[in-house]
Amino acid sequence: HKSNEIRQVNWTLFWQVGNYKRTVKRIDDGHRLCNDLMNCIQERAKIEKAYAQQLTEWSKRWRQLVEKGPQYGTVERAWLAVMTEAEKVSERHQDVKNNLINDDFEKVKNWQKDSYHKQMMGGFKETKEAEEGFKKAQKPWAKKLKELEAAKKSYHMACKEEKLASTREANSKGETSLTADQQKKLHEKVDKCKQDSQKAREKYEKALDELNKCTPHYMENMEQVFTQCQQFEEKRLSFLREVLLDVKCHLNLTDNERYVMVYNDLEHAITSASAQEDLKWFSNNHGPGMHMNWPQFEEFNPDLTHNISKKEKSKKSTDVMLTGINAENQTWCQSFINIVIAEVLLKYVACSVSSYDKNQAHTGSTEWSDEDQTAPNSGNDTNGGTNPFDEDAVKGVRVRALYDYDGQEQDELSFRAGDELTKLEEEDEQGWCKGRLDNGQLGLYPANYVEPI
């Protein structure tokens, strides 16, 4: 309705003097609309980027919680598949953002730069050319129109004087106070006004005839300039339509094969989840299905040791089972341990000697130069700044408990959900970490019961 009304008004008043300005203003509006479209695309790209970042953060957080939580089996994998879907969808929306900025935004920007040329004194070259074209086409006709308006005004004034004189003459016929000379003068006035009115009418008709003769040429010139403006506007409208189709293709992820595959994979992961399979796994690993070495009668054998089950208090905190080790194996193990300890001590002594040599070299160099005040690495720096045999010297990482845990053995820590402690060593192969409570107690705890602060 808006476009129809504008078109109707333009074609009704377009031929009047100066009414081409709406057509000229449309060129300036086209430049502004390009800016509006670029701002529109840029804001949508920001929305896509923010959504992609939120999906990534959400997926990362919940993946950690699910992996460290008590959920298990195929349902856990299905749950994690939802996080995978978020990560892949985040990538697709990041691609949408990149396409909007790198393709659509830049396309509009370059077209605007090539189509609108700014002038030194302000405005655009295309606007000035259109306005000058309309002025040139309208100038001769506008001059004739001005003459016509003047002739029309003169004719109407003459008609008014004639009517006024005729009225006075008609009124004087009924008055006896007027003399014959006065009656004659009024009659002569009426005749003179009729003659002036007739001359003004002839001049007015002549001006109108000249204007009508000039009108076809005026219309031809005006339509020629208007057609040029229409062609420029057609290019702009066609270009904007093309850009909007590109934006639609970039926003429509349903036509993207990789996007469709994301939900196909998610559906497969969820439908593959089986409650019976998970129950069977839990029974075999934590229930009656577990293998049990039931107690049996054993004869005393002095050469064999009892089965020992304990957690190793080393950097890896690995569970070690020493079962049935005879005296010969014990001797071999002890010899191997002694060799390892000897090698570690030799390396420690070598590092200490190297540190001492560096300090001596630095002491000697200071006698020759007073400008170099930078001390070389000390023995503590060579060994990492701490004693390699002091495990408690490690600063550690602060963590927070997710669940309650009661230590089952003396070397295990006990804590409640929300308590904070310090992790001293990374998780070992069995899922245990070494840590320290705020009260100074050292011990082991399950790695999946805490999260980093």
Side-chain angles (χ1 to χ4, degrees):
H1 295 296
K2 177 181 177 182
S3 60
N4 291 336
E5 290 174 1
I6 291 177
R7 189 180 299 110
Q8 183 178 1
V9 171
N10 281 346
W11 283 102
T12 303
L13 306 177
F14 172 74
W15 303 109
Q16 296 181 4
V17 177
N19 281 2
Y20 59 81
K21 294 186 180 295
R22 177 66 183 84
T23 304
V24 175
K25 183 177 179 296
R26 185 176 60 172
I27 300 177
D28 294 332
D29 292 341
H31 183 273
R32 181 178 63 83
L33 290 172
C34 288
N35 290 333
D36 292 342
L37 181 57
M38 285 190 290
N39 292 334
C40 177
I41 293 174
Q42 193 173 35
E43 289 183 8
R44 179 57 186 266
K46 290 181 180 179
I47 294 174
E48 296 291 335
K49 180 181 178 181
Y51 181 55
Q53 291 177 345
Q54 291 175 355
L55 283 177
T56 301
E57 294 172 357
W58 175 84
S59 174
K60 182 179 179 181
R61 176 174 178 271
W62 278 99
R63 181 178 291 277
Q64 293 178 352
L65 292 176
V66 172
E67 288 178 346
K68 294 182 179 181
Q71 187 57 57
Y72 56 90
T74 58
V75 174
E76 180 187 12
R77 290 195 294 270
W79 196 343
L80 293 175
V82 177
M83 277 76 257
T84 303
E85 174 269 344
E87 295 169 357
K88 293 182 179 180
V89 171
S90 173
E91 294 176 359
R92 299 290 76 78
H93 283 278
Q94 187 66 30
D95 293 340
V96 171
K97 174 258 180 184
N98 294 334
N99 291 332
L100 290 175
I101 294 298
N102 299 333
D103 296 343
D104 303 332
F105 181 87
E106 290 296 327
K107 188 175 182 179
V108 177
K109 181 179 179 181
N110 294 333
W111 187 89
Q112 183 191 49
K113 183 178 179 181
D114 296 337
S115 301
Y116 296 90
H117 302 86
K118 292 184 178 181
Q119 300 184 113
M120 295 293 294
M121 301 301 294
F124 299 102
K125 177 182 177 182
E126 292 73 20
T127 304
K128 183 179 180 181
E129 291 177 351
E131 188 167 8
E132 290 179 350
F134 281 120
K135 285 183 178 179
K136 184 178 180 181
Q138 204 170 65
K139 185 176 181 180
W141 189 83
K143 183 178 179 181
K144 296 292 183 182
L145 179 64
K146 186 176 181 181
E147 294 175 358
L148 176 66
E149 293 293 338
K152 176 183 176 182
K153 183 177 180 182
S154 298
Y155 170 66
H156 288 173
M157 288 294 296
C159 291
K160 183 178 180 181
E161 290 293 332
E162 180 187 358
K163 185 176 182 181
L164 182 62
S166 298
T167 302
R168 287 176 180 175
E169 183 187 14
N171 294 334
S172 65
K173 291 180 179 181
E175 295 181 4
T176 58
S177 59
L178 294 177
T179 64
D181 292 337
Q182 290 176 336
Q183 290 284 347
K184 183 178 179 180
K185 288 181 179 179
L186 290 175
H187 182 71
E188 291 176 352
K189 178 69 174 177
V190 172
D191 292 340
K192 185 177 182 302
C193 287
K194 287 182 178 181
Q195 293 176 0
D196 293 340
S197 174
Q198 184 63 28
K199 291 180 180 179
R201 180 184 180 88
E202 292 176 355
K203 187 177 181 180
Y204 178 34
E205 290 177 348
K206 183 180 179 181
L208 180 61
D209 185 57
E210 291 178 355
L211 182 67
N212 290 334
K213 291 179 180 179
C214 183
T215 298
H217 184 64
Y218 161 68
M219 294 178 65
E220 181 182 356
N221 293 338
M222 290 290 287
E223 287 181 351
Q224 184 178 359
V225 180
F226 183 79
T227 301
Q228 295 176 355
C229 295
Q230 287 288 83
Q231 291 174 352
F232 182 82
E233 179 66 7
E234 182 182 8
K235 293 180 181 179
R236 186 189 71 85
L237 294 174
S238 299
F239 172 75
L240 260 63
R241 179 180 180 275
E242 178 183 349
V243 171
L244 292 174
L245 286 175
D246 293 340
V247 172
K248 173 258 180 187
C249 293
H250 293 151
L251 294 178
N252 187 12
L253 294 177
T254 57
D255 293 339
N256 190 310
E257 294 182 359
R258 292 187 295 176
Y259 185 79
V260 175
M261 286 298 298
V262 169
Y263 290 97
N264 291 339
D265 295 342
L266 177 61
E267 182 179 4
H268 176 72
I270 295 176
T271 55
S272 298
S274 173
Q276 297 301 324
E277 184 177 345
D278 290 354
L279 293 175
K280 182 179 179 181
W281 177 89
F282 189 86
S283 176
N284 293 335
N285 289 272
H286 302 284
M290 296 180 65
H291 177 71
M292 175 64 179
N293 291 326
W294 298 103
Q296 298 179 0
F297 183 81
E298 298 178 4
E299 292 289 350
F300 173 74
N301 189 343
D303 295 333
L304 299 177
T305 61
H306 294 285
N307 291 335
I308 303 175
S309 176
K310 67 177 182 178
K311 300 178 183 65
E312 183 185 2
K313 306 303 189 291
S314 62
K315 285 188 176 293
K316 300 299 181 178
S317 299
T318 306
D319 291 343
V320 177
M321 299 296 295
L322 299 177
T323 306
I325 301 179
N326 55 28
E328 182 180 355
N329 290 335
Q330 290 180 356
T331 303
W332 182 87
C333 292
Q334 186 63 43
S335 300
F336 177 77
I337 294 174
N338 291 338
I339 294 174
V340 172
I341 294 175
E343 290 180 356
V344 173
L345 290 175
L346 287 175
K347 290 181 180 180
Y348 179 72
V349 172
C351 291
S352 300
V353 173
S354 175
S355 175
Y356 175 78
D357 292 340
K358 290 181 180 179
N359 291 331
Q360 291 299 323
H362 173 64
T363 304
S365 62
T366 54
E367 297 177 358
W368 296 94
S369 174
D370 295 334
E371 297 177 358
D372 187 8
Q373 298 298 328
T374 303
N377 292 334
S378 63
N380 290 337
D381 294 336
T382 303
N383 293 321
T386 58
N387 187 344
F389 297 100
D390 186 5
E391 297 180 356
D392 297 339
V394 181
K395 184 177 181 180
V397 179
R398 295 292 291 174
V399 294
R400 181 183 291 110
L402 295 173
Y403 317 103
D404 297 342
Y405 182 74
D406 295 324
Q408 304 298 320
E409 298 185 15
Q410 294 182 355
D411 58 350
E412 295 180 1
L413 299 177
S414 298
F415 48 76
R416 293 291 176 266
D419 292 349
E420 297 182 2
L421 59 151
T422 303
K423 182 176 72 173
L424 300 178
E425 295 179 358
E426 296 298 329
E427 179 182 354
D428 61 13
E429 297 177 356
Q430 302 299 323
W432 293 86
C433 286
K434 183 176 180 180
R436 180 178 61 240
L437 298 177
D438 292 342
N439 59 8
Q441 180 183 356
L442 296 174
L444 302 174
Y445 63 87
N448 60 352
Y449 272 60
V450 299
E451 66 175 355
I453 298 178

